[in-house]
Amino acid sequence: MTDAADLIVTGAVVRTADRSQPVVDAFAVRDGRITAVGSLSAVSAHRGPDTRVLDVGGAAVYPGFVDVHNHHALAGRTELFELTLPPSLGLDEILDRVREKAATLPEDAWIIGGVVATTLLPSLANTASRRRLDEASGGRPVVIVEDSRHNRWANSRALELAGITADSIPAGGVTVLDPDDGTPTGVLLEAAGIPVQEAYDRSGGLTPEQHIAASRRGVELLNSFGITSFQDAGVSTDILAALAALDAAGDLNAWVVSSLLVNDEIFGFDPIGQALVERGEEFRTPHHRPDFVKIFLDGVPPARTASFLEPYVADAVHGAHFHGETTMTFDELHGWLHTVAERGLGAKVHCTGDGSARLVLDVAERIRAEGFTTPIQIAHGQFLADADIPRLAALDVSADISPFIWFPGVIPQALAEVLGERAEHSQPNRALLDAGALVAGGSDWPVSESPNTLEGLQGLVTRADPLGRAPGTLWPEQAITAEEALEVFTINAATAMGLGAHTGSLAVGKSADFVVLDRDAVSGPADQIIDARVLSTWFAGREVYSA
């Protein structure tokens, strides 16, 4: 048989994420693509003398998981080259870890790491805490990112190298000053932290080889969770070059869509904006697609940098009528979306407040009226006005949701302090699906501690913390079914990032990207989805991870 399959996959449960035949017996693979899907007898017609048969028995086969929002290279570099801190640590424990790290480094070496919990940040915003960090580091510059990755805590030496003093405050973001002595505390919100990142980069930063290693490690970790496609939500030329190099060497074991930064409130990358957008095509390879831009339209609610339709809870600094702000006006955002649409690119727009989300939808209405069909994603989509929910489907705007960072726990607690009762009404996923919106799942890893898709699936279905760290549920009326959740993290996410014709479901002609789980998590108890284990991950018909 000249067109015999290289591989036939069969088992008790094969879920396709294809509504025309959601559960099948088997599928066949040739040259990395799926050539047949259906009954075992029909698929077996493609078997030849050299065909390998993978019978998973009582295990389950799903399409490879798709993560529409992560920062794979940041996660890889944190593990390989930085100080890794779980967000549960208190100040004394953080200082102990810094002290241990400092003892292994030259006198002038930077200590870069994370994370520190959002809820701990206010207690660090004083001169005494900064001096304790100075002592722990032995005078070395230290920068620790906060768990949203939007804010930083720096010590005196890092501030000095960045040129941040009481008389020289960065123009963007918020540099928190000590109320007693008026000096920078080292707590730097949003863009105020970029000068310390730039100072680190001036000291040498990472080598090209280290950037490749960071991306490779990020993809390896994603593969270990069954993920075979993802969208990196904010890249530099270093990350773009690393991904292109990996693919050229045959070592990129995932479909990757990169998001080119239009503006930068947190990373400190250079170049950004038009200069970066114009260079994107340099880095296109068969599996790496620089097809989106990333726009930060607001910040994060706990720092009161997200834009809301109704004001924040009153405080001494902002008063009773503060709504937050967007980084762009209607005309500025329209100008960018019009420009990227003309280039054939999509846009991932970071919106954590319902005010910024409305601005995206208003601009999308203009863009659609101008005849552009460019993909637009509202990234995070956690707060949306009721009146705006039907507009996503009407305007073909997808919701990039991250059900790893909203269940009961630290973040909703921080949200409640600034939003009051509104914090209980985030992630309206049931309403979005019922309104016909494309809802796409992302982890926002390493903002989330893990990119484990099973964690996201369970959170979508139970509206509770899958890891049991906090009791209760968050707006349980917005729960969706396990079958819908699987679509959110497969075909929906692939479609949202422009890969729906290539991956996201087990269908003829698509890449043979799939994950083998030890059981059918979708049909079992909703509160046990996360207990399933990834046995193996396959990309383009090749096994790229085995437990």
Side-chain angles (χ1 to χ4, degrees), residues 326-349:
T326 56
T327 64
M328 296 184 184
T329 64
F330 179 100
D331 288 340
E332 289 168 335
L333 181 59
H334 173 261
W336 267 110
L337 291 189
H338 191 277
T339 296
V340 300
E342 286 185 320
R343 295 185 76 99
L345 300 176
K348 181 186 287 288
V349 189

Side-chain angles (χ1 to χ4, degrees), residues 106-292:
E107 285 189 8
D108 58 349
W110 283 73
I111 299 174
I112 304 290
V115 293
V116 58
T118 294
T119 49
L120 187 62
L121 215 54
S123 68
L124 304 179
N126 56 78
T127 300
S129 294
R130 190 191 74 236
R131 287 177 176 161
R132 291 188 67 191
L133 185 59
D134 296 342
E135 181 275 325
S137 72
R140 295 166 184 82
V142 182
V143 183
I144 300 174
V145 295
E146 162 260 16
D147 55 18
S148 76
R149 304 265 167 173
H150 279 244
N151 309 306
R152 293 172 172 86
W153 183 39
N155 74 344
S156 299
R157 180 61 176 150
L159 293 174
E160 177 188 340
L161 291 170
I164 299 174
T165 68
D167 300 318
S168 179
I169 301 295
V174 176
T175 301
V176 181
L177 305 179
D178 187 293
D180 295 326
D181 63 23
T183 63
T185 62
V187 172
L188 306 167
L189 306 182
E190 303 288 345
I194 287 179
V196 292
Q197 179 64 42
E198 292 171 339
Y200 167 67
D201 291 337
R202 286 195 299 272
S203 76
L206 298 186
T207 67
E209 292 75 22
Q210 287 175 316
H211 281 292
I212 291 172
S215 275
R216 178 185 286 112
R217 184 58 181 149
V219 175
E220 288 172 352
L221 291 168
L222 291 165
N223 288 162
S224 75
F225 289 102
I227 295 164
T228 56
S229 307
F230 64 90
Q231 183 169 351
D232 191 296
V235 297
S236 63
T237 50
D238 293 319
I239 296 171
L240 290 166
L243 289 165
L246 285 172
D247 206 18
D251 293 335
L252 184 57
N253 295 323
W255 296 93
V256 185
V257 174
S258 286
S259 310
L260 310 170
L261 288 167
V262 162
N263 59 348
D264 183 6
E265 299 296 306
I266 59 175
F267 295 117
F269 293 159
D270 180 49
I272 59 170
Q274 194 67 40
L276 180 59
V277 171
E278 288 175 357
R279 290 194 60 190
E281 281 301 311
E282 290 176 36
F283 306 100
R284 184 178 299 279
T285 60
H287 297 111
H288 172 231
R289 302 181 172 214
D291 282 348
F292 273 71

Side-chain angles (χ1 to χ4, degrees), residues 365-376:
E365 195 167 334
R366 169 80 64 84
I367 290 291
R368 298 300 185 233
E370 291 167 345
F372 292 109
T373 59
T374 187
I376 299 172

Side-chain angles (χ1 to χ4, degrees), residues 83-90 93-94 97 114-117 120 147 449:
L83 175 63
T84 302
L85 303 170
S88 57
L89 299 185
E93 296 165 306
I94 291 171
R97 300 282 185 96
V115 293
V116 58
L120 187 62
D147 55 18
E449 292 181 60

Side-chain angles (χ1 to χ4, degrees), residues 434-453:
D434 289 347
L438 182 66
V439 178
S443 64
D444 204 7
W445 176 65
V447 174
S448 63
E449 292 181 60
S450 155
N452 184 359
T453 298

